[in-house]
Amino acid sequence: MEKKPKNLMIMKISIPFLIIFLFSSMSLNGAKYDSGTRGISNDLISQQNRSVVCVVTDAQGPVVGANVMVKGTTNGSITDANGRVSLSNIPSGAILVVSFVGYLTQEISLGNKRSISVILKEDTKVLDEVVVIGYGTVRKSDLTGSISSISSEKIKNLPQGSISNILQGKAAGINITSTSGAGNMNIRVRGITSLNKSSEPLWVVDGVIGGTVGNFYDIENIEVLKDASATSIYGAQGANGVILVTTKKPKEGTKITFDARYGVKNMRKKPDLLSPYEYARAYNEVNGANSISVDDLAAYKNGTKGIDWVNLMTQTGFSQNYNLNISGGNQKTKYSISGWVGDTKGQWISNTARDYNVKATLDTNITPWLEFSGYMYDGLTKQHNSTSQGQFVDVLEYSPCMELQNESGIYNLDPYGSIGSNPYASVKAEWTDYRSSTMTMFGNLKFKIIDGLTFSTEGLYTQIHNWNRHFRSASYQPSGTSQASNYEEQYYNWRNIDNLTYDKTLGDHHLIAMGVLELTKHKFSSLNASSTGLVNEATTYWDLASAGSYSISNSFSNSSMASVFGRLIYSYKGKYLFTGTMRADAPSQFKDKYKWGYFPSIAIGWNMHEERFINKDVINQLKLRASAGTIGNCGVGAYSTYSTLSRDYVSYGTATKYWGYWPESNSNPDLHWEKTVQYDLGFDLGVLNNKVNLSADFYLKNTTDLLFQKELPDYNGGGTVWTNLGKLQNKGMEFTLNVVPFVTKNITWESTLTAAYNRNTVKDLGGDDYIIPDASRGGLYSGGLFILQVGKPVGSFYLQRWAGFNDEGANLYYNQDGTTTTGNNNDNRVITGKSVPDWLFGWNNTLTYRNWDFNVLFRATSNYDRLNISRYIETCQTGASRFISSREGYYRSWDKVSDKSHALFPSLTNANNQYVPGSTQWLEKAAFIRCQNLSVGYQIPKKLTKYAAIHLSLSAENLFVISKYKGLDPETVSEANTNTYDTTFGLDRGSFPMPTTYSFIVRLEF
Amino acid sequence: MKTSLIRIFVLVTITFGFVSCNDFLKEDPNGQLMSNNAFTQASDLDGAVNVLYRQVSRSTFGITQFIQAIMGDDLSTHRASNKAGIREWDLYGVSTGNDRLLWCWQDKWLVIKAANFIINGASNTPNVTEEDLNYALNQAHFWRAWAYYYLVRTFGPLPMVTSNEVDFSIGLSTVSDIFNMIVTDLQAAENLPANYTDTPRSMNGINIVANSAAAKAMLSNVYLTMAGWPLNLGTEYYEKAAAKALEVITGVENGTYKYALYENYADIHSVAENKKNKECILGIYYSNSWGDGDSSESARGCINDFPDCTGGWCDTRAEIGFWVNFPEGPRKDATYPVVTYNSGDGKAYPWWSESLPDANRYPYFGKSKFTNDGTEYDIYKSLGSQCNGWVDQTHQMIRLSEVYLWYAEALGRSGQTNAKAIELLNIVRNRADGNGVKSDASINRYSLSMTASELAEAAYNEHGWEIAGWLWGAIDCRYNDMQRMDRVQDHFNTRVQNPTYVIPGAGGITRQEPNAPTGSWSESLMYVPYPEQDVNRNAALNISLADKLNLIK
C-alpha cells in the first residue's frame, strides 16, 4: 500500500488558490489604488530665480518617483503620479539631472525654458540590475559567481524556436552542438564532467527544476550558472551547470502582443550520389555484365526508370507559429495569458507536427504580508512520423536502380546496395503517430513575517502523458507481416520548496541569509501493447486484438530526493562581497550509507571601482571574483543498486512464449555520488562609459568518482555495471567582449564577441591505462572506435592509420612498427583526433538605424574531428552496404582514376581489399565558421498605425558554412546512446544535416 | 495580523516541513524481481531452462555464430560485396578487427551464464522432485558443454567459468582441461530422460529439448575430437567415441530412442518435416509466426546462402573443388540448387553459365530453402519474392546419419572394422544415391572387406557430404572434421595454389576460386584470436596465436 505523501497537500491548497485568483483577477483589474502623493519640495526662501515644471515619461507613460535634481546642488525632488515635478529657485543656465532606477540618467540643459519633458530610456546594462540566482535573486553588483546572461531584448527578434538555439553562440562557456537537423541539441557547460551519465546542464524555470516554459515568446531572460559558487546551490544536480530560464512576469497595465512566424527549411548541401544510369554501369563493371540487364540500363539512361532517393524522401519544410500574449493588472494583482499554436511540415516527407499550449499566470498580494504567484500550463504536441538517422542512412545507400514496389504493390528491398529497409516503405506502408501532453501547476505563497524576513512555500506538479501509435502494413516488404502497437507512458513529478530568507541592509552591511527544505518525487509508468498479423489492415492501430498474436509489457519506476540547504550573501559597502552555500541531498537511488551528499561552496568578490584609488570616470567597472566549491551528480536511474532478475522467453518454435528469469543485469550496492570540485577566477571590466565591457573567467574543474558504466567481460556474460571510477579534469577560460562602437541619434551598433576554451583530460581510470568505451560494438565497428586514456580528452578517436593503397588498389593500414598491411587489425589502432573543439566563438552584431534593425551572428569552432561514416558507407562495399552509392566513390576509386595517386577509394574488384570504418581514412577536421543568423527588421511605430506597433523581420539561419569537412554538416552527429554519449560522441553516420531556414516574422504590440 | 501570520507559518511548517525522510526516500521497486527471489518456487526451474534455451537459440540463429565453418573446404564467400570480414575466415587470416569475431564469442558465453545460473542455484528450489531438479541441472550441464565445445575448437584455451561472479583476472585453462569439463558435463547430461511427453519438451511426436541420446551423441563426437588434433589422445578415445555412438544406435534399434533416417535425403531439410524431423537428434526450433518486425524467435536462412543475383546476400558460397568431388545423386541435388536465378534477366541458369554475373558464377548451397508462407522455395524465382530473410527452419545440430558415420569413423580409426559399421556407412550412402535406407550388397558402394583406415576415410568423406554447407548450429561441421584430423593445412596449401577445375558437364568450362590465401601455413592458424574487448578487460587473454598452442595440455 502506497502512502500518500503529505506534500500533496500543497496541491490541494494551491490549485483552488490559483483558480480563484485567476477569475478574481478580472474584477480586480479595474480596482483603484492609491499611488501615494509624494511630497514635493518647495523651497521658497531664495526667490529671485524661476520655477520649472518637468514631466518625466518613458515608453509606457508617466514615470512615478523619478529623481529630478539641479546639477551641483541639493535642489531637487521626485515626480508625482503624473510624472510631474515642479522645481523652483532655478538659476539660469542650470542643468537638470533626471534619474530613476533601471533607466539611463539624463542631463538636460534648461536654457530659458519654464517647462520641460524628459523621456527616460531603459538602461539595459545598469549595474544594479537584479540577477536571478538559484532560489533567489541578487543585485548584479553583489554577484560573486560566474553567470552568463541573455535578456529578452537580445532574442525577441530572432526566429529560432528553441531555448537552446537562443543560447547558441551567445554565451561564453556553453557549448551547444546541433546534433541533428531535426533540432536536437547537445549542451555542455564548461566541458564534459561525466562519462556515462548525462553531462546535460540542469534546467530551471522560474526557480523550479522541471518547471515549464510556456513557449519561446514567454522568455524574459536566460542565465547560465557556471562556477561552483553559482551552481552548488543545486547540489547533487548542479555539476553540469545550470540554465535558469525566467519567464515574463505580468506587469501593470494592459498589454497585448501577437506574433506570427513563418519558416521555410531546405537542405543546405545535398549528397552527391550516383544517378541510376551511373549506378547500373558501375554495378555491372564490378559484378559482371549481366547483373543489370541491357534493357534496364537503357531505361535508367533515358530516365524512364530509376529513383532519386534524396529527392523522394525529403521536401522543403515549412512551419508557421502564432503567439498571443495578454497581460494586465494593477499594482496589487497582475495576470497574463499566453497561447501558442505551431504547425510544421518536416523536411522528411510525411513528417508533420502540431503544437498547442497555453499558460495562465497570476501574481497577487492577498494581504500586505502575503503574496501569491502561480501558473497553470497545458501543452499538447502531435507528431506524425519523424526522421530517424537509420532511415537517412538507408536513403544514402539505397540503390537508385530498382522499382519502389512490385506488381502487387509490395515495397521492394534494395537488390544491390543496402540490406536495410526500403525508406519509402517506412513512411508509406508504415506510420507513427505521437502525442504528448503536459500539464503543470505551480503555486507560491510568500509570507512577509517581519521586515526583511520572508517565508515562501511553493509546490509544482507536472503530469506528462505520451502516447505512440504505430502501424506497419504487410506490404512494407516482401513476405512482410502487418504490425500495430500502442504505447502509453505517464510521468508524475512533484516538488515542494520551503524557503526562509532574511534580506536586510544595516548601514554598510547588506545581508541575505536563506534556508531551504526541498522535496521531490518522480513516478513513471508505461504500458505497451503490440500485435502482428492483423486480420484486416484497415483497422490500422485501432484494433490490436484482431490479430494473429499480441504482446504486452508495462513498467514502473519511482524516485525521490530530500534536500536541506542554506546560503549567506554578504556585502560591505558594496565593495567586498561574500557568498557561502551549503547543500545536503539525499536521493532514493543510493543505499543508506551513501545516501547523503554535502556540497559546500564559497565565493568572494571585490568591486574595485568603488575604491578611491580607481578613477571611476576611466574605469567604470572593475570587479574581481573568486570561487571554489563542490557539486555532485546522482544521475543514475532508480533501483541501480538493486540486484534484479531479468525475464526472457523462448518459443521452442511455437507461437507461445515460455518465460523465465535470469540474472542478466548487474548491480553495485556501493554506488555513490560523482563529485566535481570547481575553482573559478574572473573579472568584469567596463570602460569608456561602459561602451566596452570585458568579462573573463578562468576555471578548473576536477571530477572524481565518475559514474561509469563499466563493461564486464563477455566470458562472464558481458553487460555493464555502474561504478564510481576515475577522475576527469576540465580547464578553461571564457571571454565576453561587449562593444558599442558607435551610438548616434539614428544609428546604434552593438557587437558582442564570446570566446571560450576548454581542455578536457582524463586523469584516472580506476587504475586502468585506458578503457574502450564502445568495445561492445559489433560488426564493422567491432572493438570500438573511441578510447578513454589517461592524459587524453574524452571523445578521443582510436583508429587504424590509413596508408593509402597498395599496387592492386587495396587499402593499406599502418602496423604499429610503421610497415603496412592490407589487414583490418585492431592491434594497429592509435589515438588520433578528438570530437570536442578547443575554442568556441560567437560574434553577434546588432545594428539599428531609425526604424530598421539588423542582426548577424557567426559561430565558429576550432580543432575537432568527425568520423565521416556516411562517406564511408557511400563509398564502400561492406557491412550493410553491398555496393557504393556516391559519385566520388566510383569516379575517384582506384579502378577509375588514370593517375593512381589521385585515387581516394580502393579498387572495387579487389577481393583482398579490407574496408575499415575505424580508420583515419574517414577522420576529418570539422572546424567551421557558420553564419548562424542574418536578419533584418523594420518597426512601424504605433503612432503611424494608430492601433499597434508593428515589427516585421526577415531572417536566414545557417546561410553558409565554411569548413573543410566533406560531409553534409560538420557539426551534426549520429548516435545518441545515452550511456556512452560523451565518450563515443563524434560519428556522422547518416546524421541529418542542419537546414537553411528562412523566416518571416510579424509582431504586433497593441 | 501578526497572530494569524504566525499561525499560518506554524501550520505550513508542520504540513510541509516534517516528512519522514526514511519513508520518503525508500525505493519501491514495483515490478522488479530481486535476485534473492531466484529459485524460490518450483516453476523457476522450468523458467531458468526456458531462458537457457533462449540463449541457445540466439547463439545459433545466424551464420555469424558459426562463421568458423567457412574455413572448411566446402564453404567460401563472395569475392567482393560487403564480405571482407567473412573472407578473412575463408582465407585463414582472422584479425582482431574482424566484424564477426565478437558475436561468435559473446553468444556462447551467454549460454554458459544461463547454464551456470541453474547449476549454482537450482538446488535451492523448495518443494521440487529430484526428477525435476535433475532435469534442470542436466539441461544446464548439456548446454554448458555444448557452448564450451564450440568455443574450445574455435578459440583454443579458455577461461573456465563455472560461476557467475565477475572475474576480470581469471586465467586461461588448457584445452585439455576444458575438454575434461565438457566430458564431465555431458556425462551428467546422459542422465536426461530418453523421451519426453509434456509440451513444450515434446511436440509433434518428437523431443524438442535435449535428451540422453543428444548427450551421448555429442559425447561421442567430443571423444572423436579428443582423439585427434590437438589433444591426439588416439585409439583409446576413438574406442570411447565408437562405444558412445553405438549406445545411441543400439537405443534406436531397441526402440529406446525414436529416431529413423528419411528415405529421401531431400526430406531432411524439407518444409513439411521441419518441426517433426525424425532424423534430428538435437534441433533448435524457431518460430516465424511473430512476423518480420519481431524476428526474435526466427532464424536466418537462405538469404545468407543465395547469390546476390538471386536476391540473397551471398555471405556463403560453395567451393568449386568440393562441388566437383561431391558424388552425383539426390544428395548433391538437395545440397546444391541445380540452377541459379538471375534477377537481371529473370531467368535461371546452371551456376557456371556466362549469362550470370561474373561474381555469381560459383556453386552455392541450398539446404536452407524456406519461404515465409510455409511453401517450398522455388529456385526459379527471386528470393525477395518468396522470403524476407527470416525463417523458422529448424537448426539441426545432430542427425542420426551423423552418429552412424561417427561410429564408423571412430571404429575405423581405432584400427577395427565390423559389419555393422560398414552396413551403417552403406545405408547412409545408399540413401544419398537415391536408393533408400538400406544396406544391400547389390548396390552397396562399400565392401565388407574394407580396411579399418578405408572405413574411417569413407565415413569421414560421407560425413562431409552429408552435412556439406550446413553451418546452422551443427556441432560437427566439415571444418571441425578437418581440424580434428589436422587437414586444414592441406586445404590451405591447395587454396594457395588455386587450382583450375574443369567443370563436368559444362562443355569444358574451367573455373578457379576467386579468393586465394597468401603466405605459408602455421599451426597457430588453427585458432582465431580472442576479441579485442575481452583482451582489454583481462590481460590473461592477451596472448598470441602461437602461444595458444602452448596451452593445449
Side-chain angles (χ1 to χ4, degrees), chain A residues 238-422:
Chain A
N240 303 320
V242 180
I243 299 179
L244 298 181
V245 180
T246 307
T247 61
K248 289 178 179 139
K249 293 277 164 287
K251 291 190 178 113
E252 288 173 47
T254 307
K255 189 176 177 188
I256 301 172
T257 314
F258 176 77
D259 287 75
R261 303 185 181 214
Y262 305 90
V264 175
K265 282 180 203 275
N266 271 307
M267 274 174 103
R268 191 179 54 79
K269 185 175 168 186
K270 288 200 173 179
D272 188 18
L273 301 177
L274 289 162
S275 73
Y277 180 59
E278 287 172 315
Y279 189 98
R281 258 189 351 197
Y283 193 84
N284 277 2
E285 275 176 34
V286 173
N287 288 286
N290 300 307
S291 305
I292 293 175
S293 71
V294 178
D295 289 351
D296 281 349
L297 219 55
Y300 293 132
K301 191 175 185 179
N302 67 27
T304 51
K305 274 185 167 186
I307 300 165
D308 180 340
W309 284 101
V310 176
N311 273 349
L312 182 70
M313 296 306 299
T314 59
Q315 63 188 5
T316 297
F318 178 73
S319 64
Q320 47 184 332
N321 304 317
Y322 305 95
N323 171 256
L324 180 65
N325 188 306
I326 302 169
S327 72
N330 53 35
Q331 199 181 36
K332 202 174 171 199
T333 299
K334 305 172 196 80
Y335 69 92
S336 74
I337 296 166
S338 165
W340 192 70
V341 181
D343 181 40
T344 307
K345 184 180 91 170
Q347 282 181 274
W348 189 252
I349 56 163
S350 90
N351 168 220
T352 56
R354 283 221 170 138
D355 299 272
Y356 311 88
N357 65 55
V358 60
K359 184 176 179 182
T361 307
L362 176 72
D363 290 351
T364 183
N365 296 333
I366 300 166
T367 69
W369 46 270
L370 179 60
E371 284 174 20
F372 170 82
S373 63
Y375 67 81
M376 285 179 85
Y377 168 85
D378 209 339
L380 176 67
T381 296
K382 291 177 172 181
Q383 189 172 313
H384 179 74
N385 287 346
S386 62
T387 341
S388 75
Q389 52 121 335
Q391 289 170 329
F392 197 59
V393 170
D394 289 332
V395 168
L396 294 178
E397 63 182 16
Y398 238 67
S399 157
C401 298
M402 59 178 284
E403 300 295 319
L404 270 182
Q405 286 167 287
N406 67 15
E407 54 286 352
S408 324
I410 293 165
Y411 289 92
N412 288 320
L413 293 171
D414 183 352
Y416 309 118
S418 171
I419 63 169
S421 308
N422 185 324

Side-chain angles (χ1 to χ4, degrees), chain B residues 152-178:
Chain B
V152 75
R153 288 178 293 174
T154 308
F155 294 93
L158 296 170
M160 190 186 283
V161 178
T162 54
S163 91
N164 285 342
E165 288 301 311
V166 172
D167 186 347
F168 280 91
S169 56
I170 189 170
L172 290 170
S173 293
T174 62
V175 172
S176 175
D177 287 346
I178 298 292

Side-chain angles (χ1 to χ4, degrees), chain A residues 3 7 369 478 481 560 639 643 645 651-653 711 714-715 770 775 779 824-826 829 877 879 911 914, chain B residues 1 5 19 23-24 27 33 35 50 81-82 87-88 95-96 167 275 292 297 384 532-534 536-538:
Chain A
K3 274 187 196 163
N7 296 56
W369 46 270
T481 312
S560 51
Y639 324 135
S643 176
L645 297 174
S651 74
Y652 296 110
E711 292 193 332
D714 283 321
Y715 57 73
Y770 68 97
N824 170 14
N825 192 337
N826 273 341
R829 285 179 295 180
Q877 305 177 91
Q914 287 276 8
Chain B
M1 180 209 122
L5 192 130
V19 172
D23 260 13
F24 181 75
E27 292 203 287
L33 211 55
S35 55
N50 291 339
S81 190
N82 55 352
R87 281 197 296 275
E88 284 193 346
S95 61
T96 59
D167 186 347
K275 289 187 179 168
D292 56 271
E297 283 296 296
E532 171 84 15
Q533 63 180 72
D534 269 2
N536 285 333
R537 290 168 188 148
N538 182 350

